[in-house]
Amino acid sequence: MQLSDPELWDALLKNPTITGNQQICCTLLTTTRALRAAVTNSCCGQLTVQLAVAGHRKQKLLKLAAWLKQHAGLVGRLELQLSTFEHDEYMAELELDQRPWLDGLQAVAAALQHHHSAGLFLQHLSVKGAPIPLELLNVLPSGSLTSLQ
């Protein structure tokens, strides 16, 4: 057997040690298209994605949204911890920006919406530090979502 053999991929991807490790799964996603497809089929709804962002760094949320646009079907738990520094809160008040994370969260919602018809297996969503925008609530999969915080 060679590493490029789909039978080997099937055996590897049935091993919970492989599919339960998000580092391994993400590494496998960066290899060949055929292996990426095998990982996508085997790991639906199994990854936990956690992102903690401090300050007005919505570009991290935008990068997450770009990744989710391609791989949202793999995500079973999405946990976002958004916080601002006191200085950022003061600056937000000066700029009259009451929802500094809105653009980033809307981008995450658009990414999930893009994947919704292809299969979204999200079971848990947690957003701390910002209100969840209606756009995000509207795309949550009612068939699999069991926890919303």
Side-chain angles (χ1 to χ4, degrees):
M1 270 189 179
Q2 294 183 343
L3 189 57
S4 60
D5 187 353
E7 289 180 20
L8 177 61
W9 299 342
D10 289 340
L12 283 173
L13 295 172
K14 287 180 181 171
N15 184 333
T17 303
I18 301 293
T19 57
N21 185 319
Q22 72 184 48
Q23 181 70 33
I24 292 172
C25 289
C26 288
T27 301
L28 292 174
L29 287 171
T30 64
T31 60
T32 66
R33 287 183 187 182
L35 183 52
R36 185 179 321 133
V39 170
T40 300
N41 289 333
S42 297
C43 298
C44 291
Q46 294 185 23
L47 293 184
T48 296
V49 174
Q50 297 172 323
L51 179 66
V53 183
H56 284 273
R57 296 195 176 98
K58 66 182 171 190
Q59 63 269 29
K60 284 189 175 187
L61 273 176
L62 297 176
K63 287 180 182 180
L64 173 65
W67 186 86
L68 285 171
K69 193 168 185 178
Q70 294 179 8
H71 306 294
L74 298 173
V75 180
R77 294 180 63 87
L78 180 57
E79 300 173 0
L80 304 174
Q81 176 66 48
L82 311 173
S83 61
T84 56
F85 299 123
E86 286 182 30
H87 172 67
D88 291 331
E89 289 175 3
Y90 173 73
M91 292 304 291
E93 286 177 17
L94 289 178
E95 297 169 12
L96 303 175
D97 180 9
Q98 298 301 314
R99 294 176 50 162
W101 300 110
L102 183 60
D103 292 344
L105 289 172
Q106 286 175 331
V108 168
L112 294 176
Q113 177 64 42
H114 175 79
H115 227 279
H116 199 270
S117 61
L120 191 57
F121 304 97
L122 191 63
Q123 300 159 12
H124 171 84
L125 173 66
S126 172
V127 178
K128 295 181 181 170
I132 300 174
L134 187 57
E135 297 89 345
L136 185 52
L137 291 173
N138 285 337
V139 299
L140 296 176
S142 59
S144 63
L145 191 70
T146 59
S147 175
L148 177 63
Q149 296 178 345

